[in-house]
Amino acid sequence: MTSLNGNDLDARVLRGIALGSAVTLDEKALARVAENRKVIQRILDEGRTVYGINTGFGQFATVVIPPDQLATLQLNLVRSHAAGVGEPLPKDQTRALMAARINCLLKGHSGIRPEPIRLLAACLNRDVLPVVPSQGSVGASGDLAPLAHMALLLVGEGLAWDGEAHIPGGRALAKAGLQPITLEPKEGLALINGTQLITAVGNLAVARLMDLVPLADEIAALSLEALRGTRAPYDPRIHQARPHPGQIQVAAHMREILGETSEIAESHKDCTRVQDAYSLRCIPQVHGVTRDALKFAGEILQRELNSATDNPMIFTETQESRSGGNFHGQYPAFACDLLAIAACDLASISERRQERLVNPAYSDLPAFLTREGGLESGFMMAHVTSAALVSEMKGLAHPACVDTIPTSAGKEDHVSMGPIAARKLMRAVDALEQVLALEARMALEGVRILGMAPARGLEPLMERLAAACPPWNDRPMYEEIAHAADALRVHVGE
């Protein structure tokens, strides 16, 4: 059970909610929301004209709406903005989207009543999930379309998941014993104005990368042993002389995993090789910058997860409404694009190590890691798969946040394209997981062929992989890749 209060949600906790953890709403935060709502009521009672409360939206901001049409205004807003298309978000991403929006509303700057927040939390806890199309947001005036599809559920409209089928939102609420709400002034806008699609998907990707980034070090160390590489490049003095935090951390991690020596290391102690290739020698430098990127981007996405991203913002202390631009998705968009680049680079150096594992010109291992070359193809196509994935990741690494197509009759004249960045990032993380699984499986076979014990720090990883993947003889490779990926997930505790 996770308590949401608007202030301390993080990527790992969000992943837990995405995977099914229930939420509670902090009572102090709800009290803050209720007090903030009084500002809206005061504005209405005084007959003031305020954007988002009793006016139209965007280009229609100068149109004043009569008091008897304010509820219709909010419902029309949600209906008209539910303009998404494409494949629905996966259920875990939908749950994360809902939790992120709840957390944003609990900041107490949205002018919403507690009731819609309570209903959204009840839907989340009872797994009543809206069908949210994945395309249709440019991440500028918030993720309007995806959040509007979410908001439709609360008024008993739109579509919801029923197993793998879709049913009307009202029926889904009724099946769960829930009642739809009637939106009051400002509430439609409060539900849909924000960066929660970018932020939710970005944070789910961060949670996965927090596992994959250190795992990449372990797999690289296994490849180093299989390729009979040297530990010399991880000498701490080298890295203190160029003190990037991530580089220092990776070098220390490699020393921890590899120890001072191993049976494999001793076997080539007096070999004639002077230096290893960069994919082995420069692991701290290349893996290190991905750690620094993850820290930088992860902090942006966590701050965004605990931010108020509405417009207008409602301030309880001064009883004011102020228009601004917190809905603009450039911050999380930048973060997602940076992480896609980082994931691509981790996969790219992994693929180079795989080339060395299967190519006898670069190692003491047989071609494609099989002693029955010709009769067997070994890991020939496994490396091809890895190359295909890395090539695709290079396209995914092209930033979305540098693009902009002005929308809303020029009012939104610079947009972030953050939802595209977030979707690309999640695809890149999926691909990285597969590339690392391929390297791990090849490195395991390489160590087996050498017939000597690797570093003791690699034993937990080796045991997981070995239990899932028997010594190689040609068999369906796709199954082998899946077994390796599953073993790695267990190894990192997913």
Side-chain angles (χ1 to χ4, degrees):
M1 185 76 73
T2 301
S3 178
L4 299 178
N5 59 24
N7 296 318
D8 54 19
L9 188 55
D10 64 29
R12 288 197 184 278
V13 173
L14 186 69
R15 178 168 64 176
I17 297 171
L19 295 177
S21 177
V23 301
T24 60
L25 306 178
D26 181 81
E27 289 301 324
K28 289 183 179 179
L30 285 172
R32 187 166 61 237
V33 168
E35 282 299 309
N36 190 250
R37 176 65 190 177
K38 292 178 182 178
V39 180
I40 302 297
Q41 194 57 52
R42 181 175 178 178
I43 289 170
L44 293 170
D45 291 344
E46 293 176 355
R48 284 188 271 161
T49 299
V50 177
Y51 172 75
I53 299 174
N54 48 19
T55 71
F57 307 100
Q59 190 70 11
F60 297 125
T62 57
V63 179
V64 179
I65 309 301
D68 63 346
Q69 295 182 356
L70 294 183
T72 301
L73 170 69
Q74 298 299 312
L75 182 58
N76 284 348
L77 174 71
V78 172
R79 286 171 169 169
S80 65
H81 282 55
V85 298
E87 290 295 313
L89 292 180
K91 291 179 185 178
D92 62 331
Q93 293 182 22
T94 303
R95 288 182 59 85
L97 173 71
M98 296 164 74
R101 192 60 198 165
I102 291 169
N103 203 57
C104 174
L105 295 171
L106 290 173
K107 295 292 292 185
H109 289 297
S110 304
I112 197 170
R113 294 171 297 150
E115 286 78 5
I117 304 175
R118 291 186 190 278
L119 178 56
L120 192 54
C123 289
L124 185 59
N125 287 340
R126 301 184 194 190
D127 219 30
V128 181
L129 307 180
V131 176
V132 179
S134 58
Q135 295 172 285
S137 174
V138 296
S141 192
D143 291 316
L144 294 170
L147 288 168
H149 283 274
M150 181 199 76
L152 276 179
L153 175 65
L154 304 186
V155 298
E157 298 185 11
L159 294 173
W161 290 97
D162 183 32
E164 297 306 312
H166 300 165
I167 61 174
R171 191 192 308 170
L173 290 178
K175 286 182 67 173
L178 300 171
Q179 295 292 324
I181 59 168
T182 298
L183 296 174
E184 296 192 2
K186 178 65 166 70
E187 290 186 334
L189 188 58
L191 287 167
I192 72 171
N193 206 192
T195 62
Q196 278 64 54
L197 175 63
I198 315 169
T199 306
V201 176
N203 273 284
L204 291 182
V206 165
R208 292 177 64 191
L209 285 169
M210 289 170 72
D211 291 332
L212 291 174
V213 165
L215 178 62
D217 299 346
E218 294 185 59
I219 294 169
L222 188 59
S223 290
L224 182 86
E225 289 285 70
L227 293 166
R228 304 177 81 186
T230 177
R231 290 154 167 74
Y234 313 130
D235 186 315
R237 294 170 296 180
I238 295 173
H239 306 287
Q240 289 296 338
R242 191 198 194 196
H244 292 296
Q247 178 177 331
I248 291 171
Q249 291 163 13
V250 173
H253 194 205
M254 294 295 285
R255 293 194 302 273
E256 177 187 354
I257 297 165
L258 292 167
E260 293 184 5
T261 190
S262 69
E263 187 179 358
I264 292 177
E266 289 298 315
S267 75
H268 60 90
K269 192 173 184 179
D270 299 317
C271 72
T272 58
R273 281 180 294 171
V274 178
Q275 294 185 126
D276 289 326
Y278 290 0
S279 59
L280 300 176
R281 198 190 334 160
C282 300
I283 289 168
Q285 291 79 5
V286 178
H287 287 210
V289 74
T290 64
R291 287 193 180 219
D292 290 338
L294 178 57
K295 183 177 187 297
F296 173 74
E299 287 175 354
I300 289 176
L301 286 163
Q302 183 169 341
R303 281 195 298 271
E304 192 76 5
L305 194 56
N306 294 288
S307 295
T309 56
D310 295 81
N311 184 54
M313 302 278 286
I314 309 301
F315 297 98
T316 306
E317 295 79 4
T318 57
Q319 300 286 293
E320 290 179 295
S321 169
R322 285 286 183 268
S323 287
N326 277 5
F327 50 68
H328 200 291
Q330 206 69 10
Y331 264 103
F334 258 68
C336 289
D337 278 332
L338 176 60
L339 290 176
I341 292 169
C344 179
D345 205 36
L346 267 187
S348 180
I349 195 171
S350 171
E351 183 275 328
R352 287 294 79 203
R353 289 190 292 266
Q354 292 171 49
E355 164 71 7
R356 307 194 81 79
L357 286 164
V358 300
N359 188 338
Y362 297 140
S363 75
D364 301 322
L365 300 168
F368 305 113
L369 299 169
T370 176
R371 293 189 179 93
E372 300 291 337
L375 176 64
E376 294 186 350
S377 295
F379 288 81
M380 181 188 297
M381 289 306 298
H383 176 243
V384 172
T385 297
S386 191
L389 288 167
V390 172
S391 181
E392 184 173 349
M393 290 178 75
K394 291 173 183 177
L396 296 174
H398 181 83
C401 67
V402 297
D403 185 29
T404 182
I405 297 177
T407 57
S408 195
K411 181 75 74 172
E412 300 171 358
D413 60 350
H414 181 281
V415 303
S416 74
M417 300 299 179
I420 300 169
R423 289 202 312 277
K424 290 195 304 90
L425 169 58
M426 194 58 80
R427 287 175 58 195
V429 173
D430 289 341
L432 173 61
E433 184 178 68
Q434 295 299 320
V435 171
L436 291 178
L438 283 156
E439 182 186 359
R441 182 62 190 88
M442 292 181 201
L444 170 67
E445 201 63 27
V447 169
R448 281 173 167 161
I449 290 169
L450 291 180
M452 293 175 282
R456 292 185 63 184
L458 289 167
E459 287 176 0
L461 176 62
M462 287 276 294
E463 288 171 1
R464 290 288 186 188
L465 287 168
C469 303
W472 182 256
N473 53 61
D474 274 6
R475 52 184 179 263
M477 181 59 76
Y478 75 93
E479 295 179 351
E480 198 76 6
I481 299 168
H483 294 329
D486 288 343
L488 294 180
R489 292 188 195 103
V490 172
H491 181 68
V492 298
E494 286 192 18

